[in-house]
Amino acid sequence: MAMDPQSPGAMVSVDDSGKPKVKRPKLKGKRAVTRFLKSLRWKKKKELQRMTAEEKILYKLKLARKKEERLLAALKKIEPNDPSEPTHDPEVLTPEEHFYFLKMGQKSKNYVPVGRRGIYQGVILNMHLHWKKHQTLQVIVKTFTPEEVKEIASELAILSGGIVLSIQEGNTIIMYRGKNYAQPPPEIMSPKIALPRKKALDKSKYRDRLRALRRYIPRLEQELEDLHAQMKLSGGHRGQSAVKDVTFVSDCTNSMSAKNDSSSSIHKRSVSDLLSENIERSEMLEDGNTEDDDDSASESITCSESEDLSDIFETDSEEQVEDTKERPLYLDSLDKFLPESNDNEPDDFEEHLRKIASLSDKTDSPAKELKISELDEIDKIFLRASSLLKKR
């Protein structure tokens, strides 16, 4: 909030940057209000979807810390305004008296429950009503840790004026009213320093929320640290891969430069020098060999010349061109080889089977009386083929 310069004394709402906020037009009707709220929720949802993982954790941390501040302010506001505390001067008990009253309190069945609201005016009033007829009582505390139970016991002793004998099983407080006990006036039986029933319930809600938030914030901080460590590791791996790529590129450039140097050394050699060398070689071969040798020498010279020239001008020779062509399968060479022909074998398999069937008809009857179990698989196949041919 800030002062309006045009109208002194009037307050204007200001945002974080110090500029005055633009007034939103007043909505009329329930439908307009629900539509506006839905649009706000939709915008917030889209903003969360656009965030990265780190931004989401930071946003949650920001909200949690703001909520913690609000809860602390609410707890401070709900506390009673009267700061005066009653003086507590407990009586001194001998060990025998302490043992006697403790046994009495353990056997007694009268108790006062303390629930989620904690200590409020009704708890103190119930204690005094029990002490009206009983010297000891049990205060059973629920939904609190052992450390909080000890704090509650000391607070009950201050507010009621009794003596804490023992805390048993972590949640049962045994209290003694005192030797010279007299029932106090209603102002002391329900002290103003204690909260009323409704405010005690609100305080317990705020306290539970604050306890949950204080467990949630360290978990978010740990998640943020883990995410940062993971990002550092991934960045290290990326750096190593980048270094490997750089070294690979440098090696490639070095190899290319070496090739260029070799090619440039070849180009520096002139064509005339190469031709003169080849002529000298041809003269040496002409002096030492016959005419046939001269022909082979001339062919080798021409081949060497063509190779040297191809190296200089980076052209492919005829032999390389022929090698690069797709070679056909060697079916032509296989066709050249004639198959071995046996005059005894028949050309057609069906004719051969017919001949076998005709011969089987001409054979004697003992051949037909052969047992099928004595025949081989090949014989069975031939017999089956002959029977099929007969049917045809």
Side-chain angles (χ1 to χ4, degrees):
M1 300 295 288
M3 296 293 293
D4 191 357
Q6 295 178 359
S7 58
M11 301 297 289
V12 180
S13 59
V14 179
D15 58 2
D16 297 333
S17 60
K19 296 178 180 179
K21 289 183 179 180
V22 179
K23 286 188 177 181
R24 181 173 54 81
K26 192 174 181 181
L27 300 171
K28 295 180 180 180
K30 287 185 178 180
R31 288 186 180 180
V33 173
T34 53
R35 200 181 299 118
F36 175 71
L37 292 174
K38 282 182 181 179
S39 65
L40 283 180
R41 292 191 198 104
W42 184 80
K43 287 178 183 177
K44 188 61 70 176
K45 186 179 178 181
K46 290 295 178 184
E47 285 178 5
L48 285 172
Q49 287 176 357
R50 293 190 199 100
M51 288 180 184
T52 60
E54 186 180 4
E55 288 175 350
K56 283 180 182 178
I57 294 171
L58 289 171
Y59 178 71
K60 289 177 183 177
L61 266 174
K62 183 181 176 183
L63 288 181
R65 282 171 180 152
K66 281 185 178 179
K67 194 173 182 180
E68 187 181 10
E69 291 175 0
R70 287 200 305 270
L71 289 171
L72 288 171
L75 280 171
K76 190 175 180 181
K77 186 178 180 180
I78 208 169
E79 290 293 336
N81 297 323
D82 191 4
S84 62
E85 294 184 1
T87 57
H88 179 57
D89 187 12
E91 299 175 358
V92 179
L93 298 174
T94 60
E96 292 81 7
E97 290 174 345
H98 187 277
F99 179 78
Y100 172 74
F101 290 123
L102 182 60
K103 287 293 180 182
M104 187 186 295
Q106 289 174 354
K107 290 179 182 179
S108 64
K109 295 181 180 180
N110 50 325
Y111 70 94
V112 174
V114 176
R116 63 174 295 183
R117 289 180 175 83
I119 299 169
Y120 62 99
Q121 295 175 356
V123 174
I124 308 299
L125 181 62
N126 285 337
M127 288 174 69
H128 284 289
L129 292 175
H130 277 287
W131 280 337
K132 188 176 181 180
K133 295 183 178 179
H134 304 280
Q135 290 183 338
T136 58
L137 64 87
Q138 295 180 5
V139 180
I140 298 172
V141 184
K142 299 177 181 178
T143 67
F144 287 96
T145 60
E147 290 79 13
E148 291 173 342
V149 170
K150 290 179 182 177
E151 294 177 2
I152 288 168
S154 61
E155 191 173 354
L156 282 173
I158 293 168
L159 292 173
S160 64
I163 300 167
V164 178
L165 297 174
S166 177
I167 299 171
Q168 295 183 348
E169 299 178 1
N171 62 348
T172 304
I173 305 167
I174 298 173
M175 296 191 71
Y176 172 58
R177 67 182 183 181
K179 293 179 183 178
N180 302 318
Y181 175 76
Q183 193 169 2
E187 293 82 10
I188 297 173
M189 289 174 70
S190 55
K192 291 181 180 180
I193 194 172
L195 293 172
R197 185 183 176 88
K198 188 178 181 301
K199 286 189 177 180
L201 181 60
D202 295 339
K203 183 182 177 180
S204 70
K205 288 178 182 177
Y206 296 150
R207 188 175 59 241
D208 293 341
R209 290 173 190 170
L210 188 62
R211 191 183 295 131
L213 266 178
R214 284 175 177 170
R215 285 197 300 267
Y216 177 64
I217 288 170
R219 193 165 69 237
L220 283 176
E221 290 174 351
Q222 185 64 36
E223 286 180 7
L224 189 62
E225 289 177 3
D226 295 342
L227 184 64
H228 286 162
Q230 190 176 0
M231 289 168 70
K232 284 181 182 178
L233 286 173
S234 62
H237 288 308
R238 286 176 186 172
Q240 290 177 2
S241 63
V243 169
K244 288 181 182 177
D245 294 337
V246 169
T247 53
F248 177 71
V249 170
S250 64
D251 293 338
C252 291
T253 52
N254 291 329
S255 63
M256 291 294 289
S257 63
K259 287 181 181 178
N260 291 329
D261 294 337
S262 63
S263 63
S264 63
S265 64
I266 290 168
H267 284 297
K268 284 176 184 176
R269 296 177 65 190
S270 64
V271 178
S272 61
D273 294 338
L274 292 170
L275 290 172
S276 63
E277 287 177 3
N278 291 327
I279 291 164
E280 288 175 0
R281 287 178 191 171
S282 65
E283 289 177 355
M284 293 292 289
L285 291 169
E286 283 175 0
D287 295 335
N289 297 324
T290 59
E291 293 178 356
D292 296 329
D293 296 334
D294 292 337
D295 296 335
S296 63
S298 62
E299 290 175 0
S300 65
I301 288 165
T302 55
C303 291
S304 62
E305 285 177 0
S306 63
E307 288 177 359
D308 293 333
L309 289 170
S310 65
D311 291 336
I312 292 166
F313 296 105
E314 295 180 354
T315 57
D316 294 333
S317 63
E318 294 177 358
E319 294 178 358
Q320 292 176 354
V321 171
E322 290 176 358
D323 292 333
T324 55
K325 292 179 180 179
E326 292 183 0
R327 294 182 179 179
L329 296 173
Y330 295 98
L331 295 174
D332 299 334
S333 60
L334 290 172
D335 293 337
K336 292 177 183 178
F337 295 99
L338 295 173
E340 295 180 358
S341 61
N342 293 326
D343 298 333
N344 297 325
E345 293 181 359
D347 294 334
D348 194 3
F349 184 65
E350 291 184 0
E351 292 179 2
H352 181 61
L353 290 176
R354 287 193 186 92
K355 288 178 182 179
I356 291 168
S358 62
L359 289 171
S360 64
D361 292 336
K362 294 176 183 179
T363 53
D364 297 333
S365 61
K368 292 181 180 179
E369 294 176 359
L370 290 171
K371 293 181 179 179
I372 295 170
S373 62
E374 294 177 359
L375 295 175
D376 296 334
E377 291 180 359
I378 297 169
D379 295 333
K380 290 177 183 178
I381 292 166
F382 276 102
L383 288 172
R384 179 71 176 163
S386 64
S387 65
L388 290 169
L389 286 171
K390 282 180 183 179
K391 287 178 181 178
R392 285 185 183 179

